[in-house]
Amino acid sequence: MLNCSSRNQVSEQINRKWMLIEFQDYTKDFLMKKGANLDLSTRDQYGANMGCNRIFMKADFKGDGTVAFSGIGSTMMYCQDAMKLEEAFGKAFPTMVHYKIEGHFLTLKSKDGSSMKFVAADWD
């Protein structure tokens, strides 16, 4: 059972903007050029962007390292050079059920072991 202080500790660590640096076969350079990010800095509704559309969602990060994403949606613009990444992220993201924060890195993992890794945007 979690108490308020463990939830607050999770919030303090997770509530920031994260830049995607490892995902499937995409290179870090490609992801950085697209500005691929997960924005967890607001508490009411979180967001992400893979280079074109705004993706929005709600998330519940628990102190035991589990996470549940819900209410996932996005704008619907067509951007030729970003659609493959957005489609891949859109399919993989809802399957992420575990998270781990190590230093300035956030890793999300699915039950099947696929993952995505982020670095804190405010980290030099």
mmCIF file with all atom_site columns, all heavy atoms in Angstrom, residues 46-65:
data_model
loop_
_atom_site.group_PDB
_atom_site.id
_atom_site.type_symbol
_atom_site.label_atom_id
_atom_site.label_alt_id
_atom_site.label_comp_id
_atom_site.label_asym_id
_atom_site.label_entity_id
_atom_site.label_seq_id
_atom_site.pdbx_PDB_ins_code
_atom_site.Cartn_x
_atom_site.Cartn_y
_atom_site.Cartn_z
_atom_site.occupancy
_atom_site.B_iso_or_equiv
_atom_site.pdbx_formal_charge
_atom_site.auth_seq_id
_atom_site.auth_comp_id
_atom_site.auth_asym_id
_atom_site.auth_atom_id
_atom_site.pdbx_PDB_model_num
ATOM 1   N N   . TYR A 1 46 ? -1.034 14.853 -19.568 1.00 0.00 ? 46 TYR A N   1
ATOM 2   C CA  . TYR A 1 46 ? 0.320  14.742 -20.088 1.00 0.00 ? 46 TYR A CA  1
ATOM 3   C C   . TYR A 1 46 ? 0.292  14.794 -21.606 1.00 0.00 ? 46 TYR A C   1
ATOM 4   O O   . TYR A 1 46 ? -0.759 14.649 -22.231 1.00 0.00 ? 46 TYR A O   1
ATOM 5   C CB  . TYR A 1 46 ? 0.956  13.438 -19.614 1.00 0.00 ? 46 TYR A CB  1
ATOM 6   C CG  . TYR A 1 46 ? 1.101  13.340 -18.114 1.00 0.00 ? 46 TYR A CG  1
ATOM 7   C CD1 . TYR A 1 46 ? 0.618  12.244 -17.423 1.00 0.00 ? 46 TYR A CD1 1
ATOM 8   C CD2 . TYR A 1 46 ? 1.721  14.347 -17.386 1.00 0.00 ? 46 TYR A CD2 1
ATOM 9   C CE1 . TYR A 1 46 ? 0.767  12.145 -16.038 1.00 0.00 ? 46 TYR A CE1 1
ATOM 10  C CE2 . TYR A 1 46 ? 1.872  14.255 -16.007 1.00 0.00 ? 46 TYR A CE2 1
ATOM 11  C CZ  . TYR A 1 46 ? 1.387  13.150 -15.348 1.00 0.00 ? 46 TYR A CZ  1
ATOM 12  O OH  . TYR A 1 46 ? 1.537  13.051 -13.993 1.00 0.00 ? 46 TYR A OH  1
ATOM 13  N N   . GLY A 1 47 ? 1.463  14.976 -22.217 1.00 0.00 ? 47 GLY A N   1
ATOM 14  C CA  . GLY A 1 47 ? 1.540  15.061 -23.659 1.00 0.00 ? 47 GLY A CA  1
ATOM 15  C C   . GLY A 1 47 ? 2.806  14.452 -24.205 1.00 0.00 ? 47 GLY A C   1
ATOM 16  O O   . GLY A 1 47 ? 3.743  14.154 -23.463 1.00 0.00 ? 47 GLY A O   1
ATOM 17  N N   . ALA A 1 48 ? 2.811  14.275 -25.509 1.00 0.00 ? 48 ALA A N   1
ATOM 18  C CA  . ALA A 1 48 ? 3.990  13.775 -26.211 1.00 0.00 ? 48 ALA A CA  1
ATOM 19  C C   . ALA A 1 48 ? 3.968  14.354 -27.612 1.00 0.00 ? 48 ALA A C   1
ATOM 20  O O   . ALA A 1 48 ? 2.917  14.795 -28.101 1.00 0.00 ? 48 ALA A O   1
ATOM 21  C CB  . ALA A 1 48 ? 3.992  12.244 -26.260 1.00 0.00 ? 48 ALA A CB  1
ATOM 22  N N   . ASN A 1 49 ? 5.125  14.341 -28.255 1.00 0.00 ? 49 ASN A N   1
ATOM 23  C CA  . ASN A 1 49 ? 5.226  14.788 -29.638 1.00 0.00 ? 49 ASN A CA  1
ATOM 24  C C   . ASN A 1 49 ? 6.361  14.016 -30.282 1.00 0.00 ? 49 ASN A C   1
ATOM 25  O O   . ASN A 1 49 ? 7.450  13.925 -29.710 1.00 0.00 ? 49 ASN A O   1
ATOM 26  C CB  . ASN A 1 49 ? 5.474  16.296 -29.701 1.00 0.00 ? 49 ASN A CB  1
ATOM 27  C CG  . ASN A 1 49 ? 5.367  16.826 -31.110 1.00 0.00 ? 49 ASN A CG  1
ATOM 28  O OD1 . ASN A 1 49 ? 6.107  16.427 -31.996 1.00 0.00 ? 49 ASN A OD1 1
ATOM 29  N ND2 . ASN A 1 49 ? 4.425  17.726 -31.315 1.00 0.00 ? 49 ASN A ND2 1
ATOM 30  N N   . MET A 1 50 ? 6.099  13.473 -31.457 1.00 0.00 ? 50 MET A N   1
ATOM 31  C CA  . MET A 1 50 ? 7.100  12.700 -32.185 1.00 0.00 ? 50 MET A CA  1
ATOM 32  C C   . MET A 1 50 ? 7.551  13.432 -33.454 1.00 0.00 ? 50 MET A C   1
ATOM 33  O O   . MET A 1 50 ? 8.093  12.835 -34.363 1.00 0.00 ? 50 MET A O   1
ATOM 34  C CB  . MET A 1 50 ? 6.557  11.312 -32.563 1.00 0.00 ? 50 MET A CB  1
ATOM 35  C CG  . MET A 1 50 ? 6.245  10.435 -31.366 1.00 0.00 ? 50 MET A CG  1
ATOM 36  S SD  . MET A 1 50 ? 7.702  10.034 -30.391 1.00 0.00 ? 50 MET A SD  1
ATOM 37  C CE  . MET A 1 50 ? 7.283  10.806 -28.835 1.00 0.00 ? 50 MET A CE  1
ATOM 38  N N   . GLY A 1 51 ? 7.287  14.742 -33.513 1.00 0.00 ? 51 GLY A N   1
ATOM 39  C CA  . GLY A 1 51 ? 7.738  15.532 -34.642 1.00 0.00 ? 51 GLY A CA  1
ATOM 40  C C   . GLY A 1 51 ? 6.632  16.149 -35.459 1.00 0.00 ? 51 GLY A C   1
ATOM 41  O O   . GLY A 1 51 ? 6.893  16.914 -36.382 1.00 0.00 ? 51 GLY A O   1
ATOM 42  N N   . CYS A 1 52 ? 5.376  15.850 -35.131 1.00 0.00 ? 52 CYS A N   1
ATOM 43  C CA  . CYS A 1 52 ? 4.269  16.414 -35.899 1.00 0.00 ? 52 CYS A CA  1
ATOM 44  C C   . CYS A 1 52 ? 3.061  16.668 -35.005 1.00 0.00 ? 52 CYS A C   1
ATOM 45  O O   . CYS A 1 52 ? 2.822  17.775 -34.586 1.00 0.00 ? 52 CYS A O   1
ATOM 46  C CB  . CYS A 1 52 ? 3.904  15.486 -37.049 1.00 0.00 ? 52 CYS A CB  1
ATOM 47  S SG  . CYS A 1 52 ? 2.594  16.124 -38.119 1.00 0.00 ? 52 CYS A SG  1
ATOM 48  N N   . ASN A 1 53 ? 2.329  15.614 -34.709 1.00 0.00 ? 53 ASN A N   1
ATOM 49  C CA  . ASN A 1 53 ? 1.084  15.747 -33.960 1.00 0.00 ? 53 ASN A CA  1
ATOM 50  C C   . ASN A 1 53 ? 1.307  15.798 -32.456 1.00 0.00 ? 53 ASN A C   1
ATOM 51  O O   . ASN A 1 53 ? 2.254  15.222 -31.942 1.00 0.00 ? 53 ASN A O   1
ATOM 52  C CB  . ASN A 1 53 ? 0.154  14.577 -34.294 1.00 0.00 ? 53 ASN A CB  1
ATOM 53  C CG  . ASN A 1 53 ? -0.412 14.711 -35.679 1.00 0.00 ? 53 ASN A CG  1
ATOM 54  O OD1 . ASN A 1 53 ? -1.211 15.595 -35.942 1.00 0.00 ? 53 ASN A OD1 1
ATOM 55  N ND2 . ASN A 1 53 ? 0.021  13.848 -36.579 1.00 0.00 ? 53 ASN A ND2 1
ATOM 56  N N   . ARG A 1 54 ? 0.386  16.464 -31.783 1.00 0.00 ? 54 ARG A N   1
ATOM 57  C CA  . ARG A 1 54 ? 0.388  16.498 -30.321 1.00 0.00 ? 54 ARG A CA  1
ATOM 58  C C   . ARG A 1 54 ? -0.379 15.277 -29.839 1.00 0.00 ? 54 ARG A C   1
ATOM 59  O O   . ARG A 1 54 ? -1.510 15.037 -30.255 1.00 0.00 ? 54 ARG A O   1
ATOM 60  C CB  . ARG A 1 54 ? -0.271 17.779 -29.829 1.00 0.00 ? 54 ARG A CB  1
ATOM 61  C CG  . ARG A 1 54 ? -0.232 17.923 -28.333 1.00 0.00 ? 54 ARG A CG  1
ATOM 62  C CD  . ARG A 1 54 ? -0.862 19.255 -27.897 1.00 0.00 ? 54 ARG A CD  1
ATOM 63  N NE  . ARG A 1 54 ? -1.021 19.250 -26.466 1.00 0.00 ? 54 ARG A NE  1
ATOM 64  C CZ  . ARG A 1 54 ? -2.016 18.667 -25.796 1.00 0.00 ? 54 ARG A CZ  1
ATOM 65  N NH1 . ARG A 1 54 ? -2.949 18.028 -26.460 1.00 0.00 ? 54 ARG A NH1 1
ATOM 66  N NH2 . ARG A 1 54 ? -2.081 18.712 -24.490 1.00 0.00 ? 54 ARG A NH2 1
ATOM 67  N N   . ILE A 1 55 ? 0.254  14.499 -28.992 1.00 0.00 ? 55 ILE A N   1
ATOM 68  C CA  . ILE A 1 55 ? -0.365 13.320 -28.398 1.00 0.00 ? 55 ILE A CA  1
ATOM 69  C C   . ILE A 1 55 ? -0.674 13.669 -26.948 1.00 0.00 ? 55 ILE A C   1
ATOM 70  O O   . ILE A 1 55 ? 0.139  14.298 -26.272 1.00 0.00 ? 55 ILE A O   1
ATOM 71  C CB  . ILE A 1 55 ? 0.602  12.113 -28.477 1.00 0.00 ? 55 ILE A CB  1
ATOM 72  C CG1 . ILE A 1 55 ? 0.991  11.852 -29.938 1.00 0.00 ? 55 ILE A CG1 1
ATOM 73  C CG2 . ILE A 1 55 ? -0.009 10.873 -27.832 1.00 0.00 ? 55 ILE A CG2 1
ATOM 74  C CD1 . ILE A 1 55 ? 2.214  10.967 -30.110 1.00 0.00 ? 55 ILE A CD1 1
ATOM 75  N N   . PHE A 1 56 ? -1.842 13.286 -26.480 1.00 0.00 ? 56 PHE A N   1
ATOM 76  C CA  . PHE A 1 56 ? -2.220 13.608 -25.105 1.00 0.00 ? 56 PHE A CA  1
ATOM 77  C C   . PHE A 1 56 ? -2.709 12.348 -24.408 1.00 0.00 ? 56 PHE A C   1
ATOM 78  O O   . PHE A 1 56 ? -3.187 11.413 -25.042 1.00 0.00 ? 56 PHE A O   1
ATOM 79  C CB  . PHE A 1 56 ? -3.279 14.715 -25.073 1.00 0.00 ? 56 PHE A CB  1
ATOM 80  C CG  . PHE A 1 56 ? -4.385 14.535 -26.075 1.00 0.00 ? 56 PHE A CG  1
ATOM 81  C CD1 . PHE A 1 56 ? -5.514 13.790 -25.767 1.00 0.00 ? 56 PHE A CD1 1
ATOM 82  C CD2 . PHE A 1 56 ? -4.286 15.094 -27.338 1.00 0.00 ? 56 PHE A CD2 1
ATOM 83  C CE1 . PHE A 1 56 ? -6.522 13.624 -26.695 1.00 0.00 ? 56 PHE A CE1 1
ATOM 84  C CE2 . PHE A 1 56 ? -5.292 14.931 -28.282 1.00 0.00 ? 56 PHE A CE2 1
ATOM 85  C CZ  . PHE A 1 56 ? -6.417 14.184 -27.956 1.00 0.00 ? 56 PHE A CZ  1
ATOM 86  N N   . MET A 1 57 ? -2.530 12.328 -23.072 1.00 0.00 ? 57 MET A N   1
ATOM 87  C CA  . MET A 1 57 ? -2.918 11.155 -22.302 1.00 0.00 ? 57 MET A CA  1
ATOM 88  C C   . MET A 1 57 ? -2.976 11.479 -20.817 1.00 0.00 ? 57 MET A C   1
ATOM 89  O O   . MET A 1 57 ? -2.495 12.514 -20.380 1.00 0.00 ? 57 MET A O   1
ATOM 90  C CB  . MET A 1 57 ? -1.937 10.004 -22.543 1.00 0.00 ? 57 MET A CB  1
ATOM 91  C CG  . MET A 1 57 ? -0.611 10.038 -21.789 1.00 0.00 ? 57 MET A CG  1
ATOM 92  S SD  . MET A 1 57 ? 0.646  11.221 -22.296 1.00 0.00 ? 57 MET A SD  1
ATOM 93  C CE  . MET A 1 57 ? 1.064  10.710 -23.922 1.00 0.00 ? 57 MET A CE  1
ATOM 94  N N   . LYS A 1 58 ? -3.524 10.568 -20.081 1.00 0.00 ? 58 LYS A N   1
ATOM 95  C CA  . LYS A 1 58 ? -3.461 10.591 -18.625 1.00 0.00 ? 58 LYS A CA  1
ATOM 96  C C   . LYS A 1 58 ? -2.584 9.415  -18.216 1.00 0.00 ? 58 LYS A C   1
ATOM 97  O O   . LYS A 1 58 ? -2.443 8.446  -18.960 1.00 0.00 ? 58 LYS A O   1
ATOM 98  C CB  . LYS A 1 58 ? -4.849 10.466 -18.017 1.00 0.00 ? 58 LYS A CB  1
ATOM 99  C CG  . LYS A 1 58 ? -5.737 11.658 -18.353 1.00 0.00 ? 58 LYS A CG  1
ATOM 100 C CD  . LYS A 1 58 ? -6.822 11.839 -17.342 1.00 0.00 ? 58 LYS A CD  1
ATOM 101 C CE  . LYS A 1 58 ? -7.682 13.041 -17.668 1.00 0.00 ? 58 LYS A CE  1
ATOM 102 N NZ  . LYS A 1 58 ? -7.157 14.278 -17.180 1.00 0.00 ? 58 LYS A NZ  1
ATOM 103 N N   . ALA A 1 59 ? -1.976 9.511  -17.048 1.00 0.00 ? 59 ALA A N   1
ATOM 104 C CA  . ALA A 1 59 ? -1.112 8.432  -16.567 1.00 0.00 ? 59 ALA A CA  1
ATOM 105 C C   . ALA A 1 59 ? -1.177 8.352  -15.059 1.00 0.00 ? 59 ALA A C   1
ATOM 106 O O   . ALA A 1 59 ? -1.343 9.357  -14.378 1.00 0.00 ? 59 ALA A O   1
ATOM 107 C CB  . ALA A 1 59 ? 0.325  8.663  -17.013 1.00 0.00 ? 59 ALA A CB  1
ATOM 108 N N   . ASP A 1 60 ? -1.048 7.128  -14.571 1.00 0.00 ? 60 ASP A N   1
ATOM 109 C CA  . ASP A 1 60 ? -1.005 6.888  -13.135 1.00 0.00 ? 60 ASP A CA  1
ATOM 110 C C   . ASP A 1 60 ? 0.284  6.136  -12.828 1.00 0.00 ? 60 ASP A C   1
ATOM 111 O O   . ASP A 1 60 ? 0.388  4.938  -13.109 1.00 0.00 ? 60 ASP A O   1
ATOM 112 C CB  . ASP A 1 60 ? -2.229 6.087  -12.699 1.00 0.00 ? 60 ASP A CB  1
ATOM 113 C CG  . ASP A 1 60 ? -2.299 5.899  -11.189 1.00 0.00 ? 60 ASP A CG  1
ATOM 114 O OD1 . ASP A 1 60 ? -1.609 6.653  -10.457 1.00 0.00 ? 60 ASP A OD1 1
ATOM 115 O OD2 . ASP A 1 60 ? -3.042 5.003  -10.747 1.00 0.00 ? 60 ASP A OD2 1
ATOM 116 N N   . PHE A 1 61 ? 1.279  6.857  -12.317 1.00 0.00 ? 61 PHE A N   1
ATOM 117 C CA  . PHE A 1 61 ? 2.562  6.265  -11.940 1.00 0.00 ? 61 PHE A CA  1
ATOM 118 C C   . PHE A 1 61 ? 2.481  5.849  -10.479 1.00 0.00 ? 61 PHE A C   1
ATOM 119 O O   . PHE A 1 61 ? 2.217  6.676  -9.612  1.00 0.00 ? 61 PHE A O   1
ATOM 120 C CB  . PHE A 1 61 ? 3.702  7.274  -12.131 1.00 0.00 ? 61 PHE A CB  1
ATOM 121 C CG  . PHE A 1 61 ? 4.001  7.569  -13.562 1.00 0.00 ? 61 PHE A CG  1
ATOM 122 C CD1 . PHE A 1 61 ? 3.338  8.601  -14.228 1.00 0.00 ? 61 PHE A CD1 1
ATOM 123 C CD2 . PHE A 1 61 ? 4.933  6.827  -14.259 1.00 0.00 ? 61 PHE A CD2 1
ATOM 124 C CE1 . PHE A 1 61 ? 3.616  8.880  -15.553 1.00 0.00 ? 61 PHE A CE1 1
ATOM 125 C CE2 . PHE A 1 61 ? 5.216  7.096  -15.583 1.00 0.00 ? 61 PHE A CE2 1
ATOM 126 C CZ  . PHE A 1 61 ? 4.548  8.126  -16.231 1.00 0.00 ? 61 PHE A CZ  1
ATOM 127 N N   . LYS A 1 62 ? 2.706  4.588  -10.204 1.00 0.00 ? 62 LYS A N   1
ATOM 128 C CA  . LYS A 1 62 ? 2.633  4.059  -8.838  1.00 0.00 ? 62 LYS A CA  1
ATOM 129 C C   . LYS A 1 62 ? 4.037  3.884  -8.268  1.00 0.00 ? 62 LYS A C   1
ATOM 130 O O   . LYS A 1 62 ? 4.999  3.702  -9.011  1.00 0.00 ? 62 LYS A O   1
ATOM 131 C CB  . LYS A 1 62 ? 1.905  2.723  -8.831  1.00 0.00 ? 62 LYS A CB  1
ATOM 132 C CG  . LYS A 1 62 ? 0.541  2.793  -9.483  1.00 0.00 ? 62 LYS A CG  1
ATOM 133 C CD  . LYS A 1 62 ? -0.512 2.355  -8.559  1.00 0.00 ? 62 LYS A CD  1
ATOM 134 C CE  . LYS A 1 62 ? -1.807 2.237  -9.317  1.00 0.00 ? 62 LYS A CE  1
ATOM 135 N NZ  . LYS A 1 62 ? -2.884 2.924  -8.794  1.00 0.00 ? 62 LYS A NZ  1
ATOM 136 N N   . GLY A 1 63 ? 4.134  3.908  -6.973  1.00 0.00 ? 63 GLY A N   1
ATOM 137 C CA  . GLY A 1 63 ? 5.409  3.774  -6.289  1.00 0.00 ? 63 GLY A CA  1
ATOM 138 C C   . GLY A 1 63 ? 6.076  2.422  -6.478  1.00 0.00 ? 63 GLY A C   1
ATOM 139 O O   . GLY A 1 63 ? 7.263  2.276  -6.216  1.00 0.00 ? 63 GLY A O   1
ATOM 140 N N   . ASP A 1 64 ? 5.329  1.407  -6.942  1.00 0.00 ? 64 ASP A N   1
ATOM 141 C CA  . ASP A 1 64 ? 5.898  0.076  -7.146  1.00 0.00 ? 64 ASP A CA  1
ATOM 142 C C   . ASP A 1 64 ? 6.510  -0.110 -8.535  1.00 0.00 ? 64 ASP A C   1
ATOM 143 O O   . ASP A 1 64 ? 6.896  -1.211 -8.910  1.00 0.00 ? 64 ASP A O   1
ATOM 144 C CB  . ASP A 1 64 ? 4.849  -1.014 -6.890  1.00 0.00 ? 64 ASP A CB  1
ATOM 145 C CG  . ASP A 1 64 ? 3.698  -0.998 -7.881  1.00 0.00 ? 64 ASP A CG  1
ATOM 146 O OD1 . ASP A 1 64 ? 3.641  -0.089 -8.754  1.00 0.00 ? 64 ASP A OD1 1
ATOM 147 O OD2 . ASP A 1 64 ? 2.832  -1.886 -7.794  1.00 0.00 ? 64 ASP A OD2 1
ATOM 148 N N   . GLY A 1 65 ? 6.588  0.981  -9.328  1.00 0.00 ? 65 GLY A N   1
ATOM 149 C CA  . GLY A 1 65 ? 7.197  0.903  -10.653 1.00 0.00 ? 65 GLY A CA  1
ATOM 150 C C   . GLY A 1 65 ? 6.233  0.548  -11.771 1.00 0.00 ? 65 GLY A C   1
ATOM 151 O O   . GLY A 1 65 ? 6.658  0.329  -12.899 1.00 0.00 ? 65 GLY A O   1
#
